[in-house]
């Protein structure tokens, strides 16, 4: 997957990367997801979450949610709301 955002802050002490402003995620399976905030916990196992509106499109359709959680090293993605 590829991630882009306007800004990002890495906290070396907690190993958490916080991306803000036009966070955009794409992958080689055709998924394209956008939100305004993503917190990525890089500890093992890595996880990500966001509590801002999220929109996306991919091979299985479209999604609009109030937030998201990614667990199981990317195997499980939950859109909230």
């Amino acid at each position: 997957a590829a991630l882009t955002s306007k800004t990002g802050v890495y906290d070396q002490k907690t190993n958490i990367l916080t991306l803000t402003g036009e966070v955009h995620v794409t992958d080689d399976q055709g998924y394209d997801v956008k939100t305004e905030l993503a917190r990525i916990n890089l500890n093992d196992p890595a996880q990500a979450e966001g509590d801002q509106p999220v929109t996306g499109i991919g091979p299985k359709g479209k999604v609009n949610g109030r937030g998201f959680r990614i667990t199981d090293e990317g195997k499980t993605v939950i859109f909230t709301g």
Side-chain angles (χ1 to χ4, degrees):
L3 291 158
T4 60
S5 69
K6 282 191 172 184
T7 60
V9 175
Y10 174 65
D11 184 329
Q12 204 168 19
K13 189 180 239 182
T14 62
N15 206 25
I16 293 176
L17 174 64
T18 302
L19 302 175
T20 56
E22 298 179 19
V23 180
H24 190 190
V25 182
T26 57
D27 73 7
D28 60 359
Q29 295 179 18
Y31 289 96
D32 188 329
V33 178
K34 296 177 184 176
T35 189
E36 287 298 312
L37 172 82
R39 285 179 296 280
I40 304 165
N41 183 336
L42 298 170
N43 294 299
D44 191 23
Q47 299 178 21
E49 67 177 6
D51 57 7
Q52 297 297 307
V54 59
T55 60
I57 190 165
K60 295 188 179 191
K62 296 180 183 180
V63 66
N64 289 302
R66 291 186 185 169
F68 71 94
R69 284 190 306 271
I70 301 173
T71 61
D72 303 322
E73 298 178 347
K75 295 175 188 164
T76 303
V77 179
I78 299 167
F79 293 100
T80 60

